[in-house]
Amino acid sequence: MMSHSEVAKAAWHGMIWRFLERCSYQTVSLIVSIVLARLLLPEQYGIIAMTMIFITLSEVFVTSGLGSALIQKSKYNEVEFSTMFWSSVVFSIILYAALFILAPVIGSFMHTPALTPVLRVLGLRLPISAMNSIQQAYVSQQMIFKKFFFSTLSGAIVSGIVGIIMAYAGMGVWALVAQNFSLTIVNTLVLHFIITWRPSFHFDFKAFKDLFGFGLRLMLASLIGTFFEQFRGFLIGRNYQPQDLAFANRGELFPTALASNIATSIQTVLFPAFAHLKDDKDYVKAALRRTLTMGSFIVVGLMVILAGVADTFVHVILTDKWMKSVPYLQWVCLGQCFSVLAAINLQTITSMGRADITLKLEFIKKPFCLVILLICVTISPLAVIIGSAFYGIIAFLVNAFPNKSLLHYGALDQIRDIISPFFCAVPVFGILQFLQHIIPQTFISLVLESIVGALLYLFLGLIFRASGEKEIYCFVLNRIKNIKN
């Protein structure tokens, strides 16, 4: 087992590499998305968005629980990894067969016959995702996050090129299918060549039973969470037009990309790091507090700036045919502020080996989500997104509650630590919205507005004494001193 200093060092390097990986991936993906959004129609994006609802739900069964069960083990066991690998692959093939058979029924139910061939082709990525999930579990368990950087960036670049070429050739929705499918293939192939692990032809039923017991709880928890995430898109796609779903998804894309850079970097490193040191509650509590304060200050700052310049951003970057996505984008920004904090709490609980609590929390939260979505879908697609944003607040409070007994760091303590960035965000949003109405919407004004928003947010952080800003300053300063020494 790794010592405190070894885990801390690995976590620090892992955080850097994971953040670089997410930033590079999202940068390439956003550039590709902008190009494709200018070439393709909202209706075509709507079809792929509907397809991904069912693909994403199917992938939960082969990517969520089994890999996490391996990561939470303190020591590497080759037989256990091979056992989970073959289990995932076999299960994914069965899932694809079911998806292939049900594709016409799904297309008819969604009132979109064009969904059937797209779903059958894109569903082929399920077995590949199954292989990739165990590869990623190995990288995370060994805390060699540098490998993710090369595999993810390679996949983003290759898939982006494929998608753009096919879009220019007039392939429509199939350009998006090819981009999505090639991303998974390249990511998996690159990891295969840069890590030493290879599956052997071993299958241990006892290891499968032990790991599946832990992984099943995580799988069910993830399935419930993912179902309700996708249920939102399902309701919009089922009750409104494909372009309505496209506007909602386009509004989600950019704030989700920014927030996930932070959340994924933190979560991927937190899980194996806390799993190694889960018996030291004081250490975990201090690390969780520091993570929440720093994470909230960064995420809230990014979200309020993006929401404040949303009109100019969409007009300049995506063109006027996507302007209806502006209010969606702004409300998603609010929801992401709390979703990241909720995810950090949940990951902490899971990494401490309490998958039972993780599952229970989903059963507590999701009735709220269901009621909110069913009410909001009767109003408008935008109402669904607004309801989801407020559900993010509920999810944060529920996920934070168990940490009161586990770590003596409950919801009220956490709110006191993360509230100041929200006070800073309100005037920043107001001023940026005002600037958009008096300054011409150009690329230069977008850059200037963003800089003004960032400087004002940092200044207000000093006034309100935001703990996250102080933590970031001390963190960076200490790292600079270490480099000099």
Side-chain angles (χ1 to χ4, degrees):
M1 183 179 292
M2 300 170 70
S3 65
H4 280 56
S5 59
E6 290 173 330
V7 172
K9 183 178 180 180
W12 160 242
H13 287 294
M15 194 81 75
I16 292 177
W17 278 108
R18 199 60 167 139
F19 185 70
L20 289 174
E21 177 242 325
R22 299 312 304 171
C23 284
S24 60
Y25 169 73
Q26 295 294 355
T27 299
V28 174
S29 295
L30 289 177
I31 292 172
V32 172
S33 296
I34 291 168
V35 175
L36 292 176
R38 290 172 172 267
L39 295 172
L40 302 174
L41 299 174
E43 302 86 73
Q44 294 167 333
Y45 270 96
I47 293 174
I48 201 71
M50 288 184 192
T51 304
M52 288 308 300
I53 293 172
F54 300 96
I55 296 296
T56 303
L57 281 171
S58 300
E59 283 188 328
V60 170
F61 291 98
V62 296
T63 63
S64 296
L66 302 184
S68 297
L70 292 168
I71 296 172
Q72 62 88 34
K73 302 282 286 185
S74 299
K75 295 182 179 180
Y76 166 74
N77 185 303
E78 191 278 329
V79 174
E80 290 178 341
F81 269 82
S82 295
T83 298
M84 291 296 100
F85 177 85
W86 295 116
S87 301
S88 297
V89 171
V90 171
F91 197 27
S92 67
I93 293 173
I94 296 172
L95 277 174
Y96 174 69
L99 203 61
F100 185 93
I101 294 170
L102 293 173
V105 178
I106 294 172
S108 176
F109 184 74
M110 297 299 288
H111 308 303
T112 311
L115 202 66
T116 300
V118 174
L119 187 57
R120 283 176 166 173
V121 172
L122 199 51
L124 287 168
R125 76 178 232 174
L126 285 177
I128 302 170
S129 295
M131 300 176 193
N132 184 251
S133 69
I134 306 302
Q135 290 177 327
Q136 293 194 15
Y138 175 80
V139 172
S140 296
Q141 203 271 346
Q142 297 294 305
M143 300 189 75
I144 47 176
F145 300 101
K146 183 178 180 179
K147 307 295 184 181
F148 283 139
F149 176 83
F150 298 106
S151 63
T152 305
L153 184 58
S154 300
I157 293 173
V158 173
S159 64
I161 293 172
V162 170
I164 291 173
I165 291 174
M166 292 185 66
Y168 268 114
M171 300 295 288
V173 70
W174 292 105
L176 297 172
V177 173
Q179 180 206 7
N180 194 296
F181 193 63
S182 58
L183 173 64
T184 307
I185 292 176
V186 174
N187 194 328
T188 304
L189 284 175
V190 173
L191 268 186
H192 175 78
F193 287 111
I194 65 175
I195 64 175
T196 58
W197 177 78
R198 297 288 184 273
S200 63
F201 292 100
H202 289 96
F203 192 94
D204 188 326
F205 285 98
K206 184 179 183 303
F208 174 79
K209 182 179 178 181
D210 293 340
L211 290 167
F212 189 74
F214 180 87
L216 180 62
R217 298 187 186 96
L218 292 184
M219 185 189 299
L220 290 175
S222 181
L223 178 62
I224 295 170
T226 304
F227 172 81
F228 280 94
E229 286 176 8
Q230 300 304 316
F231 188 58
R232 177 178 58 201
F234 169 80
L235 288 175
I236 296 175
R238 179 72 173 78
N239 294 280
Y240 298 94
Q241 297 299 314
Q243 53 265 39
D244 293 313
L245 181 56
F247 289 130
N249 279 16
R250 190 56 39 181
E252 285 184 301
L253 175 63
F254 297 100
T256 302
L258 283 173
S260 68
N261 277 338
I262 307 299
T264 304
S265 301
I266 292 172
Q267 287 178 253
T268 307
V269 178
L270 270 186
F271 190 13
F274 284 4
H276 281 287
L277 303 172
K278 57 190 173 186
D279 295 327
D280 190 339
K281 300 294 180 66
D282 291 334
Y283 179 89
V284 174
K285 176 184 176 181
L288 173 60
R289 183 181 182 277
R290 192 178 190 187
T291 302
L292 283 174
T293 53
M294 293 172 64
S296 65
F297 187 80
I298 295 171
V299 172
V300 172
L302 291 172
M303 293 301 101
V304 73
I305 293 171
L306 180 57
V309 303
D311 293 271
T312 304
F313 178 84
V314 173
H315 171 77
V316 172
I317 303 299
L318 298 179
T319 72
D320 287 342
K321 69 180 178 181
W322 291 98
M323 286 302 292
K324 288 184 179 180
S325 65
V326 169
Y328 293 98
L329 186 153
Q330 292 174 322
W331 280 104
V332 171
C333 284
L334 174 63
Q336 284 296 328
C337 293
F338 293 96
S339 294
V340 171
L341 302 178
I344 292 173
N345 272 282
L346 198 63
Q347 194 76 331
T348 302
I349 295 169
T350 303
S351 66
M352 295 176 69
R354 298 306 306 269
D356 56 324
I357 295 178
T358 302
L359 181 57
K360 289 177 183 177
L361 291 177
E362 294 303 321
F363 284 107
I364 294 172
K365 293 180 295 185
K366 290 314 183 269
F368 292 102
C369 182
L370 181 62
V371 171
I372 290 171
L373 291 178
L374 291 178
I375 293 174
C376 291
V377 75
T378 64
I379 303 172
S380 69
L382 179 59
V384 174
I385 302 302
I386 295 173
S388 298
F390 283 101
Y391 168 72
I393 301 175
I394 296 174
F396 161 65
L397 294 174
V398 173
N399 286 359
F401 182 77
N403 280 322
K404 181 175 180 60
S405 58
L406 291 175
L407 300 171
H408 304 294
Y409 187 50
L412 290 178
D413 294 323
Q414 293 184 27
I415 290 172
R416 281 193 289 267
D417 285 337
I418 59 99
I419 193 66
S420 52
F422 291 92
F423 286 123
C424 302
V426 174
V428 172
F429 179 78
I431 290 174
L432 290 178
Q433 284 287 285
F434 173 74
L435 289 176
Q436 287 195 112
H437 290 90
I438 63 173
I439 299 176
Q441 292 182 335
T442 64
F443 181 78
I444 298 298
S445 62
L446 175 62
V447 174
L448 291 176
E449 290 169 13
S450 301
I451 293 174
V452 169
L455 293 176
L456 181 59
Y457 180 73
L458 292 173
F459 176 71
L460 292 174
L462 293 174
I463 293 178
F464 285 105
R465 297 181 179 179
S467 56
E469 185 173 10
K470 183 179 179 181
E471 288 276 8
I472 293 170
Y473 172 77
C474 294
F475 183 77
V476 173
L477 190 64
N478 287 336
R479 290 300 164 185
I480 291 175
K481 288 180 180 178
N482 289 338
I483 292 173
K484 288 182 177 180
N485 295 331

